[in-house]
Amino acid sequence: MLLKPMISPITNFLQARMGINREHDVAIFKKLDAMADEASVDKILNSRIYNSDFRIEDDHVLSDLIEAFNRIENRYLDNTVQLKAEGFSWEINTLLSFVHQTFWPVPGDRLKFRPDPIDPEVYEAEWKELNEKLESTWQAYKEYRMAIKERLKA
């Protein structure tokens, strides 16, 4: 009975050493990266949302990415990468929840930050919060990508 708790960590270590986990995780990364690569995530977070040129299709890309990260089939076997992926997914979800509260549909299948006139103090507070959420989401994405690069060499 004493050996059983030790078998799983040893098996995981050996699989990681043989590259089995890496191969699986690289395949997951490529699948998720095909949905939204670094350039598209950068454009959505650091340009489109920030400049109130957020398109409904961008909302779908981020929503689909959250859904994909939450699927069991897309879980990374490398614990560090999985934790970074979960952190990024949580940040996207938090950002999108805020965007859905503060952006309104406008012509051209776009969403705009508070197109109606509101109290300037409310506007400033929400704009500040939006920028904080954008920054934390972008930071989480960079940490996720760095974990991929360092751990999976991809």
Side-chain angles (χ1 to χ4, degrees):
M1 285 297 178
L2 184 60
L3 290 177
K4 191 170 184 174
M6 293 175 48
I7 291 175
S8 181
I10 292 171
T11 303
N12 290 342
F13 175 78
L14 292 174
Q15 285 178 339
R17 282 297 200 202
M18 293 186 313
I20 295 170
N21 289 357
R22 183 188 175 282
E23 184 178 305
H24 169 271
D25 286 355
V26 168
I28 297 300
F29 168 69
K30 287 180 179 181
K31 178 180 171 182
L32 296 172
D33 195 55
M35 295 176 69
D37 63 7
E38 185 171 0
S40 62
V41 172
D42 183 21
K43 185 182 291 184
I44 291 170
L45 296 179
N46 297 321
S47 178
R48 291 189 178 155
I49 295 176
Y50 182 80
N51 294 318
S52 284
D53 188 28
F54 190 52
R55 299 174 181 157
I56 292 184
E57 66 191 54
D58 298 330
D59 182 70
H60 293 303
V61 167
L62 295 180
S63 295
D64 290 347
L65 196 56
I66 293 167
E67 187 177 314
F69 273 116
N70 290 332
R71 285 194 188 108
I72 292 172
E73 68 184 350
N74 294 332
R75 290 186 61 83
Y76 291 101
L77 297 176
D78 183 289
N79 289 334
T80 301
V81 174
Q82 180 59 33
L83 286 173
K84 297 298 182 183
E86 288 171 359
F88 175 52
S89 177
W90 186 84
E91 291 290 345
I92 297 172
N93 193 37
T94 302
L95 173 65
L96 278 184
S97 293
F98 188 75
V99 165
H100 293 154
Q101 294 170 14
T102 57
F103 279 61
W104 269 255
V106 295
D109 288 334
R110 295 182 319 122
L111 299 168
K112 185 169 175 58
F113 181 74
R114 293 285 189 199
D116 297 327
I118 61 170
D119 178 355
E121 289 181 15
V122 172
Y123 181 93
E124 289 300 321
E126 288 181 347
W127 182 252
K128 181 181 178 201
E129 187 174 349
L130 173 65
N131 283 301
E132 289 168 356
K133 290 184 184 317
L134 284 168
E135 180 59 35
S136 63
T137 303
W138 180 240
Q139 184 61 38
Y141 181 75
K142 291 189 301 187
E143 291 173 7
Y144 161 69
R145 285 301 298 245
M146 189 53 74
I148 293 290
K149 187 175 185 112
E150 291 173 350
R151 308 284 294 192
L152 304 180
K153 310 293 187 233

